[in-house]
Amino acid sequence: MNNSIKINLVDIPSYGLNEVITTTSEGKPLSRIFDLSWDFSGMEARAVGKSQFVPFSKVEEPHRKTIQSTLAYMIKVFQKKEKKSPSRAQVDNWRKGLASISKIKGDCDWASLSDDKGYTSFKSKIVEFYKGSSPSESALSAILKSLRKLNEYRFCNRIFTLKEFKNLLLLREVQQYIAIPVKMYQKLIAQAIGVIEFYHPYRFDMNKLMIQAHTIRTEEMNNTTGSNKADSINWRARNRVKKIKHGIPNFKIRFDGAELSRILTNCAIITLAFSGVRASELLSFSSNSYKEKRNTSNISIPIVEGETSKGNDGLPIVTTWQTHPIVKDALELAFEITQHLRDEYTQQVNENLRLGLITDDNYKHALREINSAFIAVEPARVTSKYTLGDLSYRVFSLLKKLSITATQDDVDEFNRLNPTREGQLRVNESLPKLSPHDFRRTFAVFFKRYGFGAATSIKFQYKHKNINMSDYYANNARLQAMEDVLLDNDLLELMNEEGIRMGIDIFDEIYNKSDQLSGAGGERIAQNEFQKLKNGHQIYMSRAEIESLVRNGTLSAVKLPTGGYCLNATCSRVCGIGQFAAEIKPCEHQVITDREAKTILRQNKRLIKSFREMNSGDSMMQSILIGIKQKIKHNELIIKKHHLNYEKFNDAVKGTITTREA
């Protein structure tokens, strides 16, 4: 290291024990530099369910004070430069990166990274540190961000790039969140809808029962003494509770929160599935979060409003998601059955404030958390966080109890939708994982690929009505046109990416996976491929090549509801989407693959069944039956081209004059 570099570097400052890092909103000292955690509750608003602390207890003790001093300097320079304090999330990310760097280096000598020899040694230590394991790109990015911060704040003098670290290490493959196969999804959602429909009318009665049960437990607590006090209280309380008679079917009064957790988890599944929100955003919902927004045409659109901190340095902002009215019932059920807990927690935080055990800032935040529809169901385990925890565990545990297992079709669909997880789902087994974020990706997949009911008839029965989500496309466009509505842009981007993946899958199927192509467009592609082969050219197109063409708009396709694709994205034809062959001249852009021909075969079986049920000789039905028969015979030509086995249809329309077919 040369002298000019030494002069330009900043030494790690030395601070006194009483150096204040954070304050309350009133400006009173809250956290000091060498505390085991820094409390940011007075410095910024935070999202419901999010921590206010930057913790240091797990930072290696020899490095802890140096890292805290480094962070303190960064905070002060940031405040001077930006005229505001960094967020808790920013400081915590710096802390994580510095802790990893010091652990790899074995010290906190940031200046040594400026020296070529010292930097080479650091890179060697990174390779040794991750020997036998593969770090994720996100873990490496966290280290890189903190290295860049060290350079920015002049603790070292070096430009760091992600590329050079990627060349050193074999990174762990990033596995995307799963999209649930449609039939497995239908079973899961149908079960959750059943729970909401069953318990929603009893929600107030259930809360009254729980108040009665907790009153009994409080009485036993006041009347019991001795070394086995807890066991004695629970035993006596349970015996008294068993004698309570109520008219709520399949509901057990329990003190461990298991029964409430089961119902809340089903409410969470419905809210996640019909909005696409993240778990952290779900916790911000109360019974008043559901609203209906009217646009300029006076069309009512169901929405939920909540808070998100994603992409905003951990600071909450109000966001809107489109949804379905069933979410209103889910939120009402979750909120009302836990009102007794809400009352208990409110009393607890009021007492803590009176005794000076919490600050006014934390008191106000606690009340916001207590207002969540998804609050903690075990009061004995609640410390400072009042929202429902371990949601991923609760959702996956519920799935395993339902015994929803995969067929071969489910496995094929899973592999197609989740290429980074191919092979993880097996026949007669359940999903390999299920988390709240998996519902978010499934929401995007169904939105783009199926339109919540268009191609695969994804419908759910609720209160004697079908939930058909096909109007989501229209509602989404209407919401985006409203200037006063802030939508989840990340979710919109996720849906856009899913649309691109769908296009890649379609053209991979057309060019690489289908042995036979039919339809005017398909026959033209097949002929072009034949000519290329004849001339000695390769016709296989890699998914990477297809992706490039899809992204730049060279390739585009529309999936037809009754099977096949249209390669003219601006086409306004209907291409026989109903029971009739509406087109006089076949569309020149239509492509039918082997897989889509099987869809048409299944459709034909349904048409034949419908024809035979309607073919009673009623003269009023003759025109309809003739149209259906034309569609069936048209489909047979396609099915035959793909060499699929089918029963030839020759039924006559009763009441008409028939002619012998050649």
Side-chain angles (χ1 to χ4, degrees):
M1 188 191 305
N2 60 47
N3 290 332
S4 62
I5 291 177
K6 281 185 179 180
I7 293 171
N8 289 328
L9 295 184
V10 170
D11 291 328
I12 299 171
S14 296
Y15 293 103
L17 297 176
N18 291 322
E19 183 71 29
V20 175
I21 300 298
T22 66
T23 64
T24 66
S25 59
E26 297 173 341
K28 297 178 181 178
L30 187 58
S31 301
R32 302 187 188 276
I33 187 165
F34 298 127
D35 291 347
L36 284 180
S37 65
W38 292 349
D39 186 346
F40 278 73
S41 60
M43 306 286 287
E44 63 184 30
R46 69 181 187 275
V48 168
K50 294 291 187 179
S51 173
Q52 75 266 37
F53 297 110
V54 173
F56 294 97
S57 58
K58 293 185 179 179
V59 176
E60 293 183 344
E61 192 171 352
H63 307 148
R64 185 184 300 152
K65 289 186 177 181
T66 305
I67 288 174
Q68 288 175 311
S69 297
T70 304
L71 288 173
Y73 178 82
M74 288 181 173
I75 291 171
K76 292 178 185 299
V77 174
F78 185 99
Q79 289 171 331
K80 186 175 181 180
K81 181 180 178 182
E82 304 293 335
K83 309 302 180 185
K84 64 178 183 179
S85 294
S87 69
R88 185 213 67 87
Q90 287 176 303
V91 177
D92 197 40
N93 286 333
W94 301 344
R95 188 264 313 170
K96 290 175 183 176
L98 293 179
S100 295
I101 295 167
S102 64
K103 193 170 184 178
I104 292 168
K105 280 175 55 61
D107 59 47
C108 294
D109 183 6
W110 316 131
S112 66
L113 295 168
S114 307
D115 183 75
D116 289 342
K117 185 177 179 181
Y119 185 51
T120 300
S121 173
F122 174 64
K123 289 193 289 186
S124 298
K125 288 179 179 179
I126 287 180
V127 175
E128 184 64 27
F129 184 81
Y130 286 111
K131 188 176 182 180
S133 65
S134 300
S136 66
E137 185 167 328
S138 61
L140 199 59
S141 294
I143 293 174
L144 180 63
K145 286 178 182 178
S146 291
L147 285 170
R148 288 172 172 170
K149 284 295 171 185
L150 290 173
N151 177 67
E152 178 185 346
Y153 289 97
R154 297 171 51 215
F155 285 109
C156 69
N157 190 357
R158 182 171 296 277
I159 302 300
F160 302 96
T161 65
L162 182 60
K163 183 178 179 180
E164 63 180 320
F165 287 107
K166 281 186 174 181
N167 292 335
L168 294 173
L169 302 165
L170 178 64
L171 298 183
R172 188 191 318 143
E173 182 184 14
V174 177
Q175 294 189 328
Q176 62 196 143
Y177 290 102
I178 68 171
I180 309 168
V182 59
K183 291 182 179 177
M184 300 182 78
Y185 180 84
Q186 283 179 303
K187 292 176 183 177
L188 176 61
I189 300 302
Q191 187 277 336
I193 287 175
V195 170
I196 292 168
E197 185 172 27
F198 186 85
Y199 286 112
H200 186 265
Y202 296 107
R203 61 192 188 280
F204 295 109
D205 295 329
M206 292 163 68
N207 187 62
K208 289 177 182 177
L209 274 177
M210 294 308 299
I211 291 174
Q212 191 176 350
H214 280 275
T215 300
I216 289 173
R217 192 174 187 279
T218 301
E219 290 174 356
E220 293 300 333
M221 187 181 299
N222 294 333
N223 295 335
T224 305
T225 58
S227 57
N228 294 324
K229 184 176 180 181
D231 292 338
S232 178
I233 291 170
N234 290 331
W235 181 81
R236 289 168 65 89
R238 280 195 298 267
N239 281 344
R240 288 181 61 185
V241 164
K242 286 178 183 177
K243 298 176 183 179
I244 298 176
K245 293 182 179 181
H246 63 82
I248 304 174
N250 303 320
F251 180 71
K252 297 178 181 178
I253 302 174
R254 297 182 57 160
F255 294 114
D256 62 0
E259 190 75 341
L260 293 178
S261 175
R262 175 179 68 87
I263 298 171
L264 286 180
T265 303
N266 281 284
C267 292
I269 285 173
I270 291 302
T271 308
L272 292 164
F274 287 93
S275 66
V277 300
R278 301 178 180 89
S280 57
E281 295 154 353
L282 175 82
L283 297 178
S284 73
F285 292 165
S286 72
S287 60
N288 298 319
S289 293
Y290 175 88
K291 295 177 173 61
E292 293 189 3
K293 188 85 174 178
R294 291 192 176 274
N295 67 359
T296 53
S297 301
N298 205 34
I299 296 174
S300 180
I301 306 172
I303 62 170
V304 279
E305 285 184 349
E307 292 180 351
T308 184
S309 57
K310 185 70 174 180
N312 196 42
D313 292 329
L315 304 178
I317 55 174
V318 176
T319 307
T320 299
W321 297 265
Q322 66 181 107
T323 189
H324 187 276
I326 188 177
V327 170
K328 178 177 184 290
D329 288 352
L331 293 176
E332 286 177 350
L333 177 59
F335 193 88
E336 299 299 347
I337 65 173
T338 54
Q339 185 56 47
H340 63 284
L341 293 170
R342 208 164 279 106
D343 293 339
E344 181 177 340
Y345 295 149
T346 301
Q347 184 178 352
Q348 178 181 316
V349 297
N350 284 337
E351 182 66 8
N352 287 343
L353 180 65
R354 187 184 69 81
L355 296 174
L357 300 177
I358 57 174
T359 64
D360 188 60
D361 299 311
N362 281 326
Y363 170 75
K364 291 175 182 177
H365 183 76
L367 292 182
R368 290 178 61 231
E369 289 195 334
I370 292 168
N371 193 49
S372 170
F374 300 95
I375 61 172
V377 293
E378 298 174 79
R381 299 181 64 179
V382 171
T383 53
S384 60
K385 182 181 174 183
Y386 293 91
T387 49
L388 190 67
D390 301 322
L391 197 54
S392 291
Y393 169 79
R394 294 175 196 273
V395 167
F396 191 43
S397 296
L398 179 63
L399 172 71
K400 289 189 287 187
K401 291 177 183 177
L402 297 177
S403 300
I404 298 174
T405 56
T407 64
Q408 184 60 54
D409 286 344
D410 294 328
V411 171
D412 294 341
E413 184 180 2
F414 180 90
N415 291 338
R416 185 171 67 254
L417 295 176
N418 307 286
T420 64
R421 295 184 177 275
E422 185 171 352
Q424 292 186 11
L425 179 65
R426 299 179 178 86
V427 175
N428 296 325
E429 293 185 6
S430 185
L431 292 169
K433 67 180 287 290
L434 186 63
S435 70
H437 212 95
D438 294 322
F439 284 98
R440 183 173 170 87
R441 176 154 185 259
T442 301
F443 179 92
V445 167
F446 279 30
F447 192 106
K448 296 301 292 187
R449 293 180 184 250
Y450 305 136
F452 279 98
T456 52
S457 297
I458 303 171
K459 298 179 181 178
F460 306 102
Q461 193 75 19
Y462 184 60
K463 291 186 177 178
H464 311 295
K465 294 181 181 179
N466 276 330
I467 297 176
N468 190 332
M469 305 298 286
S470 57
D471 62 347
Y472 256 52
Y473 284 112
N475 282 347
N476 184 263
R478 290 170 185 142
L479 279 173
Q480 290 186 64
M482 293 183 185
E483 294 182 359
D484 60 335
V485 172
L486 179 62
L487 291 169
D488 183 345
N489 288 324
D490 283 348
L491 183 57
L492 295 176
E493 180 61 29
L494 184 62
M495 289 190 285
N496 181 58
E497 278 299 308
E498 197 53 50
I500 291 173
R501 286 196 191 97
M502 181 175 69
I504 296 167
D505 288 346
I506 288 172
F507 286 103
D508 190 29
E509 179 186 343
I510 291 172
Y511 286 108
N512 302 322
K513 294 182 178 178
S514 189
D515 294 327
Q516 180 72 36
L517 296 174
S518 63
E523 290 171 0
R524 188 166 58 252
I525 291 172
Q527 182 62 32
N528 290 339
E529 290 182 341
F530 175 77
Q531 289 297 330
K532 286 182 179 180
L533 278 174
K534 189 177 178 181
N535 296 330
H537 296 295
Q538 178 183 335
I539 61 170
Y540 176 83
M541 192 184 301
S542 71
R543 284 183 66 90
E545 292 171 322
I546 291 172
E547 180 177 354
S548 176
L549 294 173
V550 169
R551 287 189 181 277
N552 68 24
T554 302
L555 295 178
S556 60
V558 175
K559 182 174 173 61
L560 301 174
T562 53
Y565 309 103
C566 178
L567 301 194
N568 181 5
T570 62
C571 183
S572 60
R573 293 168 59 105
V574 293
C575 290
I577 62 173
Q579 288 184 309
F580 302 103
E583 58 275 7
I584 297 173
K585 180 184 177 182
C587 175
E588 63 179 18
H589 301 289
Q590 191 173 14
V591 176
I592 297 161
T593 61
D594 289 337
R595 185 161 69 88
E596 291 302 303
K598 293 177 183 177
T599 300
I600 293 172
L601 175 60
R602 292 192 295 271
Q603 178 204 71
N604 236 31
K605 290 178 180 178
R606 292 193 297 270
L607 288 174
I608 291 170
K609 181 181 177 182
S610 177
F611 178 96
R612 288 171 175 166
E613 288 173 349
M614 297 166 61
N615 194 17
S616 61
D618 186 347
S619 60
M620 298 292 290
M621 301 297 295
Q622 288 179 5
S623 296
I624 296 174
L625 290 167
I626 290 170
I628 294 175
K629 184 172 182 178
Q630 288 176 344
K631 180 72 171 179
I632 292 170
K633 300 303 289 183
H634 174 76
N635 284 348
E636 281 186 355
L637 296 175
I638 296 171
I639 295 165
K640 187 176 180 179
K641 288 180 180 179
H642 290 265
H643 312 293
L644 300 175
N645 294 324
Y646 69 99
E647 180 183 351
K648 193 171 183 180
F649 179 77
N650 287 314
D651 290 21
V653 177
K654 293 180 181 180
T656 61
I657 298 174
T658 59
T659 57
R660 183 182 295 274
E661 293 190 14

